[in-house]
Amino acid sequence: MNADPRLTTPFDSSATAAEVIDGVDLTGRRAVVTGGASGIGTETVRALAAAGAEVTIATRRPASAEPLIRELSAVSGAGPVRAEALDLSDLASVDSFARAWGGPLDILVANAGIMALPKRTITTRGWEMQLATNFLGHFALATALRAPLRAAGSARIVVVSSGAHRKVPFDFDDPHFTQRPYEPWAAYGQSKSAEVLFTVAARRWVDDGITVNALNPGYILTNLQRHLDDDTMRAFGVMDDEGNLTPLPHYKTPAQGAATSVLLAASPLLKGVTGRYFEDNQEARVVHGDEEEPGGVAAHALDRRAADRLWEYAADAIR
């Protein structure tokens, strides 16, 4: 567990992605944003490209990124943006994407994700789909791109996790729900704990100049909620009786939700920082047990022994 003082920044929870990167010049830097064609991924792409970075949107449907690419091509000073196919649940697709990459890679934003699939769904490898997409696919992508990240000299990996990790440690005995009953939120929370543990175990890449940090973007209405039925959305208080989405006062806009991702990806304030978890543009406090106060990172997600065990599990799984 990190014993250093919590890192603070001048930005509060209402800051936008554009605000946290204001004044930062990313000309000549290259970035990959998974799931960059929608939601907070789109806002992450906008901010990085507007600062001059060359951005690749990695998405299952590259055509869906065309409107964003056209938009950014008209922005003065923006870096070039393109889209490439990537299905994180398919290791062949991950391998194809990584093999096609040429030259250094400065920023990898592991943003794509799926949430609360109502029924247990497995990949061709027998992996539970949320763990496959949210964690194992990103782990495979990061390890496959390690050489380009190392070649950049001071690369950053940003992992978009969730506060849902707090109550669900990683289950090493049954990660794919083959023995225990499948529960959508348990599967989602476990995948998000795995993402945070990955950042802790990635301290082994520090000598390569690669830093890895995780974040909770907060509550935002995006396509991530597409697997939730109307009754669930109403129970959460974000849908009215007519089916209209009604964000609660504490919800963020996508531009605000992307702020912490962009902060970790590009701000000089995060130079050399690794293995930490952020929310609302600040490093989060550590929480233990069943604390009800919102926010924070669970101690189980920062445990170094569990992180190293998970790294070995994932490395073996993707072979």
Side-chain angles (χ1 to χ4, degrees):
M1 193 179 302
N2 179 36
D4 295 330
R6 275 197 283 156
L7 190 151
T8 60
T9 81
F11 306 105
D12 64 20
S13 62
S14 67
T16 65
E19 289 169 346
V20 302
I21 203 175
D22 184 41
V24 176
D25 184 3
L26 296 181
T27 303
R29 307 291 294 276
R30 306 174 75 207
V32 169
V33 180
T34 68
S38 66
I40 65 173
T42 290
E43 297 298 336
T44 301
V45 171
R46 281 195 178 105
L48 296 178
E54 173 190 324
V55 184
T56 297
I57 299 170
T59 175
R60 288 188 298 122
R61 294 180 293 275
S64 66
E66 289 177 2
L68 178 60
I69 293 172
R70 289 195 298 271
E71 170 198 322
L72 290 170
S73 69
V75 175
S76 177
V81 180
R82 64 189 179 107
E84 297 293 341
L86 174 66
D87 182 347
L88 289 161
S89 68
D90 180 355
L91 287 187
S93 176
V94 174
D95 182 65
S96 178
F97 181 93
R99 286 180 180 274
W101 186 267
L105 174 60
D106 300 277
I107 299 166
L108 171 59
V109 183
N111 168 83
I114 54 176
M115 181 175 74
L117 297 183
K119 295 182 179 179
R120 181 176 179 265
T121 305
I122 61 172
T123 70
T124 56
R125 285 186 167 237
W127 296 345
E128 189 278 318
M129 187 62 74
Q130 292 179 80
L131 188 63
T133 302
N134 299 348
F135 169 61
L136 287 167
H138 278 126
F139 179 87
L141 180 65
T143 52
L145 291 173
R146 181 180 177 183
L149 289 162
R150 181 172 55 232
S154 58
R156 300 186 186 186
I157 299 176
V158 179
V159 181
V160 181
S161 184
S162 165
H165 84 276
R166 280 187 43 178
K167 295 185 181 296
V168 192
F170 190 82
D171 189 330
F172 287 97
D173 295 323
D174 189 20
H176 301 291
F177 293 84
T178 57
Q179 302 168 37
R180 54 183 166 145
Y182 174 76
E183 202 287 312
W185 291 106
Y188 180 66
Q190 174 185 246
S191 74
K192 293 301 172 176
S193 277
E195 288 180 331
V196 184
L197 287 168
F198 165 64
T199 71
V200 176
R203 65 188 184 279
R204 65 193 67 199
W205 285 357
V206 169
D207 289 344
D208 290 339
I210 302 170
T211 59
V212 189
N213 293 289
L215 68 113
N216 171 16
Y219 293 98
I220 311 107
L221 287 177
T222 68
N223 196 40
L224 183 64
Q225 290 91 20
R226 63 189 179 276
H227 296 294
L228 304 184
D229 60 29
D230 288 356
D231 287 342
T232 301
M233 294 294 281
R234 290 190 181 100
F236 285 166
V238 294
M239 179 178 284
D240 63 23
D241 291 339
E242 285 70 45
N244 301 307
L245 293 178
T246 56
L248 296 171
H250 62 280
Y251 272 50
K252 298 182 180 183
T253 65
Q256 292 170 329
T260 308
S261 294
V262 173
L263 180 83
L264 298 181
S267 173
L269 298 173
L270 275 295
K271 182 178 181 181
V273 174
T274 194
R276 303 197 189 191
Y277 177 97
F278 292 76
E279 58 192 4
D280 295 336
N281 300 307
Q282 312 292 332
E283 185 175 3
R285 66 188 182 90
V286 179
V287 295
H288 301 268
D290 295 326
E291 292 184 35
E292 294 300 326
E293 186 177 341
V297 57
H300 69 248
L302 299 180
D303 183 271
R304 288 194 172 197
R305 292 179 64 182
D308 291 338
R309 183 181 178 188
L310 181 66
W311 187 288
E312 297 306 317
Y313 162 79
D316 183 64
I318 67 173
R319 284 195 180 99

